[in-house]
Amino acid sequence: MSLKVVSRSFRTLSYVGSYKKIRDRPLKLYCAAIIGAGYVAYTQHKNNKAEMKEIMSLRSYMAEPVTPISQLEKNPDDMKTQMELLIMRIQAEFCKALEKEEDMEAKFKVDRWTRAEGGGGITCVLQDGRVFEKAGVNISVVSGTLPPPAVQQMKSRGKNFENKELPFFAAGVSAVIHPRNPMVPTIHFNYRYFEVQDKNETHWWFGGGTDLTPYYLNEEDAVHFHLTLKHACDSHDKSFYPKFKKWCDDYFLLTHRGERRGVGGIFFDDVDYPDRERAFAFVTSCAEAVIPSYLPLVQKHKDAAYGYAERQWQLLRRGRYVEFNLVHDRGTKFGLHTPGARIESILMSLPLTAKWEYMNVPAPNTPEDKLMQVLKQPRDWLKIENSKSRSL
């Protein structure tokens, strides 16, 4: 407690006449009154600083939170509040980082929407920029009751619930960046939190991941990307990266073509361990790793030379991206089965332009063929398996 705070408290007591009342009391009570008043003032001072910090944070978001601010302030320790504030921050930080790589006039359009069934979201989209042909960064905070089709989607993933309809809460941030230059890779990330009420019991879990989809393979870029994600995982559990890297390789697979969508990253779902606070801390680290994993690649390649052939290959690979999102992606399927689903936001991940060409097969030993070999056979970019073999 600073002398200035105690002094200010003492003067306040004098001004309202309280000092006169306690002046003639025993010294212990007199000191206690000063210290007590000082503590109250100090606590108020701390609260004011905290409130001011929160107000400053709110001003830095892309829009006002979906949940009323008064409700967020009443429940600061609720995981629903913590997750909403996290995804608001991640959205704002990522959008502003991307805008810095663009020309001055290229800005995100901010679309704040509400959902009649409960909640809403903030969709931020930048289109037709010099660097980013389409960049979408979306958050959603929704609640309500899941209908049978959506419950069935969960059951197909191993979630067994007894009720046919489930009260739920879901909050997440999702982004897909489609650059104009074919030498700059596409990135996708999604981090989400779920709560479901089933027979008076709350089930919760986290999911998400970050993955990279290059059009032309740059091994140095892939190593940088994976190493950044590994550092984020290792700070919580060294088993996370190899486990979630494999999960990513297996998940982003176009089974009808026998090829991956990109060079992978991390992916996980149904994470409800070791406990809610530590799971949230892990998700926070992963979300905060997006900018350092991706922005250096944008800065490195955004002004690289390319021609008509490279552009056509980029459009073909985008067609594969569309195929995965519409045929396999769980988030897209779940969104389309959710009552009051906002189609524009669900399909935000699709590129502005794409192409499908009959029987396109790259010639052997070309840059395009080099990429296809990696997509058909995922690579251990950080040589973790080799290190394990040598240690044995």
Side-chain angles (χ1 to χ4, degrees):
M1 184 189 326
S2 70
L3 181 61
K4 186 181 292 186
V5 172
V6 174
S7 176
R8 185 168 64 244
S9 303
F10 178 75
R11 290 199 304 272
T12 302
L13 286 170
S14 299
Y15 295 150
V16 298
S18 298
Y19 166 63
K20 187 176 185 303
K21 293 181 181 178
I22 68 171
R23 185 178 55 189
D24 299 325
R25 294 181 183 177
L27 182 60
K28 286 183 179 180
L29 292 178
Y30 175 68
C31 291
I34 294 177
I35 294 172
Y39 176 76
V40 171
Y42 176 64
T43 302
Q44 185 61 48
H45 175 67
K46 283 182 66 178
N47 290 341
N48 288 343
K49 285 183 68 177
E51 288 171 8
M52 182 56 66
K53 183 178 180 182
E54 186 60 34
I55 289 171
M56 290 173 65
S57 296
L58 290 172
R59 287 174 179 170
S60 70
Y61 296 151
M62 300 303 287
E64 187 176 318
V66 175
T67 303
I69 296 173
S70 59
Q71 185 176 332
L72 294 174
E73 290 175 341
K74 286 179 183 177
N75 304 288
D77 298 324
D78 191 319
M79 185 53 66
K80 294 190 287 293
T81 296
Q82 293 183 55
M83 190 65 187
E84 181 167 355
L85 294 179
L86 170 66
I87 62 178
M88 292 287 296
R89 175 170 66 84
I90 294 300
Q91 180 188 50
E93 290 174 353
F94 194 50
C95 286
K96 290 171 184 177
L98 295 177
E99 285 184 343
K100 286 182 180 179
E101 303 304 321
E102 269 289 1
D103 293 339
M104 289 293 292
E105 63 273 12
K107 300 294 181 183
F108 276 92
K109 176 183 179 181
V110 180
D111 179 16
R112 187 180 185 277
W113 48 274
T114 57
R115 177 173 167 272
E117 293 80 1
I122 302 166
T123 299
C124 297
V125 176
L126 187 156
Q127 289 185 160
D128 280 325
R130 183 182 68 85
V131 178
F132 304 111
E133 190 170 330
K134 183 181 180 185
V137 189
N138 182 53
I139 71 157
S140 59
V141 181
V142 298
S143 58
T145 302
L146 292 179
V151 175
Q152 190 58 44
Q153 281 287 325
M154 288 189 172
K155 288 184 176 180
S156 68
R157 293 163 41 203
K159 290 283 184 186
N160 294 315
F161 298 111
E162 296 185 30
N163 290 346
K164 292 183 179 179
E165 294 189 346
L166 301 171
F168 80 101
F169 169 88
V173 56
S174 179
V176 178
I177 311 304
H178 293 292
R180 188 173 296 280
N181 192 317
M183 303 305 159
V184 180
T186 278
I187 191 176
H188 156 260
F189 74 89
N190 171 277
Y191 292 100
R192 56 195 179 274
Y193 172 70
F194 237 95
E195 281 189 8
V196 169
Q197 297 288 331
D198 185 36
K199 294 220 166 190
N200 298 320
E201 184 179 356
T202 300
H203 301 266
W204 61 267
W205 63 92
F206 293 90
T210 307
D211 65 283
L212 195 70
T213 303
Y215 306 101
Y216 286 89
L217 183 65
N218 183 300
E219 296 188 9
E220 186 180 90
D221 291 353
V223 170
H224 165 82
F225 181 77
H226 278 267
L227 190 59
T228 307
L229 298 183
K230 183 178 185 298
H231 286 327
C233 292
D234 285 355
S235 63
H236 298 272
D237 190 319
K238 290 188 183 297
S239 72
F240 281 176
Y241 171 76
K243 177 168 62 175
F244 296 151
K245 190 266 186 191
K246 184 180 185 307
W247 200 339
C248 185
D249 289 335
D250 293 341
Y251 177 74
F252 290 105
L253 171 66
L254 285 84
T255 53
H256 56 283
R257 292 189 182 272
E259 62 188 51
R260 271 73 187 174
R261 190 171 77 175
V263 296
I266 58 172
F267 178 83
F268 54 89
D269 211 347
D270 303 325
V271 170
D272 54 5
Y273 49 85
D275 55 55
R276 188 149 41 182
E277 287 67 32
R278 282 183 283 180
F280 175 69
F282 165 63
V283 167
T284 300
S285 294
C286 292
E288 291 175 344
V290 170
I291 290 176
S293 73
Y294 183 61
L295 263 292
L297 311 185
V298 175
Q299 294 162 353
K300 180 179 176 182
H301 299 295
K302 67 179 184 179
D303 295 318
Y306 68 93
Y308 177 81
E310 289 79 14
R311 172 64 172 172
Q312 296 309 302
W313 175 249
Q314 180 193 46
L315 295 179
L316 283 169
R317 295 309 310 166
R318 283 184 180 173
R320 300 288 203 270
Y321 206 95
V322 172
E323 287 179 26
F324 179 86
N325 280 28
L326 295 182
V327 176
H328 296 296
D329 188 68
R330 291 177 185 170
T332 302
K333 289 181 178 179
F334 179 82
L336 294 175
H337 285 300
T338 302
R342 194 168 188 271
I343 304 302
E344 288 296 321
S345 296
I346 294 171
L347 299 182
M348 175 200 70
S349 62
L350 302 184
L352 201 60
T353 53
K355 181 178 178 179
W356 286 264
E357 185 177 297
Y358 185 73
M359 293 293 289
N360 181 285
V361 180
N365 301 318
T366 60
E368 293 80 6
D369 180 60
K370 182 181 177 182
L371 174 68
M372 292 304 301
Q373 298 310 312
V374 171
L375 300 184
K376 292 176 181 177
Q377 184 60 50
R379 191 178 296 181
D380 178 12
W381 295 103
L382 304 182
K383 301 186 179 354
I384 293 175
E385 292 303 321
N386 289 345
S387 299
K388 286 181 181 178
S389 299
R390 285 195 299 269
S391 65
L392 293 175

